[in-house]
Amino acid sequence: MANENNPDHPSSADGADSAATPAARTAREASEARHAAPVPEPEDGDNAEATDNPDKPGPVPGWAKAAIGTLTVIALAAGAGGFLLGTTMGSGTDAEAASYIGGPGAAMRSLADVHRVNPDDPFAQGPTDAKVVVSYFGDLECPVCAAYKRDAEPRIIDEYVNSGQVRLEWNDFPLVNENSFLGAQAGRAAAAQGKFWEFTRAVYASFEGKEHPEHTLDDFVGFAEQAGVPDIARFRSDVESGKYAGTIVQAMTYASYVGVTSVPTFVINGVPVLGNDYDSLKEAIEQSLENGHPDQPPMPQEAAGQAEDPAAAQADQEAAQENQEQAPPEAPAEEQ
């Protein structure tokens, strides 16, 4: 879906910061306004070893972190025409092949290209010709994502997806804690058996009363059982093998490229949206149904200017002037 308000990416000669579109920079600023759980620093002992050991499932391995930086540099150097992710998408109905989706299916020219619109996408719900596409970046260890999944998403599905007006597309951005990368692999393994959405519902339903749960592989296997994943042995093997690790790194690179820095981050018809509650998302969806896209969020300097409220400032100035005019005149000085 095209968005006139999103110009093409400039060439990489302008530097990494300017290589993202204004909309991508807005996405970065908008996403920083909500939950941005830092990636914890590894501690001595098992955690430090787990972070740097690519054979141990769970955390973001050291090689993955390095790969994200390298791939981002390559993407920026290639420019908009050469930045192509998601080339491993399944072309048929093979869920295993489609579970390797790592980004958009065409070159990134603007933030509107965040939407994949692949009919075989196991990470999407809703018709491919929906007028509104809600693309969101999440983490299966994120409590704010869990709140969205529990409170807002069912209502959006009932009201907009089931009526054919909205399509939802999930993107991996595992950054909350040391188990986020494991959760992303588990989600892929569930998607390979056609149970991604059931699996994420089971995972997020476990968040009540918890902050960052740090789910283990056994926990994810239990959620897969709850979700009805048919072959649990295959699910466990797929996660342990790390077969989806490279694709997840690709997805994280893509998210970083478009300006995502926290989860959940929502992009609706190419425009980043502030807020992840039902009312905020509903407003943006309704604006998109009417105008093709939601209202652009204010830039930080604009928001600061609006906070001053020029009309109120003018009223205060007029009131002060009126009070000065009504003040009693000072008594004349006595003659000496």
Side-chain angles (χ1 to χ4, degrees):
M1 295 184 180
N3 186 343
E4 297 175 348
N5 296 318
N6 294 311
D8 293 349
H9 287 292
S11 67
S12 58
D14 296 329
D17 207 30
S18 61
T21 62
R25 290 193 293 272
T26 304
R28 182 182 300 110
E29 291 155 352
S31 63
E32 287 171 349
R34 49 181 166 270
H35 176 75
V39 178
E41 293 295 328
E43 301 175 355
D44 294 336
D46 293 339
N47 285 344
E49 178 184 356
T51 302
D52 297 323
N53 183 359
D55 298 323
K56 185 172 183 179
V60 181
W63 62 263
K65 294 177 180 177
I68 292 169
T70 301
L71 288 174
T72 301
V73 171
I74 293 173
L76 293 172
F83 187 57
L84 180 62
L85 292 177
T87 54
T88 52
M89 287 185 187
S91 57
T93 57
D94 186 352
E96 169 64 28
S99 65
Y100 282 95
I101 292 173
M108 287 291 296
R109 295 173 301 275
S110 73
L111 199 55
D113 294 324
V114 70
H115 308 310
R116 299 184 298 260
V117 196
N118 177 5
D120 300 323
D121 192 338
F123 308 105
Q125 287 191 69
T128 57
D129 61 350
K131 186 173 182 180
V132 178
V133 183
V134 177
S135 183
Y136 65 103
F137 297 79
D139 182 326
L140 291 177
E141 292 288 287
C142 164
V144 182
C145 302
Y148 156 77
K149 188 77 172 185
R150 179 181 61 248
D151 303 329
E153 187 174 272
R155 299 174 67 183
I156 291 172
I157 290 174
D158 287 344
E159 189 170 350
Y160 296 106
V161 176
N162 291 342
S163 64
Q165 300 177 88
V166 167
R167 178 174 174 85
L168 296 177
E169 293 183 348
W170 162 277
N171 297 272
D172 280 317
F173 196 52
L175 85 163
V176 169
N177 63 34
E178 292 291 322
N179 294 56
S180 294
F181 203 80
L182 174 65
Q185 294 178 81
R188 300 271 169 175
Q193 299 191 48
K195 293 293 183 179
F196 175 76
W197 293 92
E198 294 86 348
F199 177 74
T200 56
R201 280 196 292 272
V203 172
Y204 284 136
S206 71
F207 274 72
E208 279 191 51
K210 296 181 180 179
E211 292 300 320
H212 298 95
E214 299 185 1
H215 293 122
T216 65
L217 176 57
D218 287 339
D219 290 330
F220 286 121
V221 169
F223 298 138
E225 292 173 341
Q226 294 176 35
V229 173
D231 190 337
I232 295 298
R234 174 189 165 193
F235 173 88
R236 180 185 284 273
S237 175
D238 283 353
V239 178
E240 290 181 323
S241 70
K243 62 191 292 184
Y244 298 113
T247 303
I248 294 166
V249 170
Q250 187 185 52
M252 295 177 74
T253 304
Y254 150 59
S256 297
Y257 181 81
V258 300
V260 177
T261 60
S262 64
V263 289
T265 290
F266 292 84
V267 179
I268 298 182
N269 279 15
V271 177
V273 174
L274 291 169
N276 48 64
D277 60 286
Y278 173 74
D279 290 337
S280 298
L281 295 171
K282 177 182 175 65
E283 180 181 15
I285 289 171
E286 289 289 348
Q287 290 170 352
S288 300
L289 288 171
E290 183 175 354
N291 305 318
H293 56 79
D295 295 342
Q296 293 277 0
M299 299 297 284
Q301 60 270 25
E302 295 174 354
Q306 291 171 358
E308 295 177 3
D309 194 351
Q314 178 66 24
D316 291 341
Q317 183 178 2
E318 292 175 355
Q321 184 177 0
E322 182 178 351
N323 290 338
Q324 185 178 10
E325 292 172 352
Q326 294 177 353
E330 294 182 2
E334 296 182 1
E335 296 181 5
Q336 297 297 327

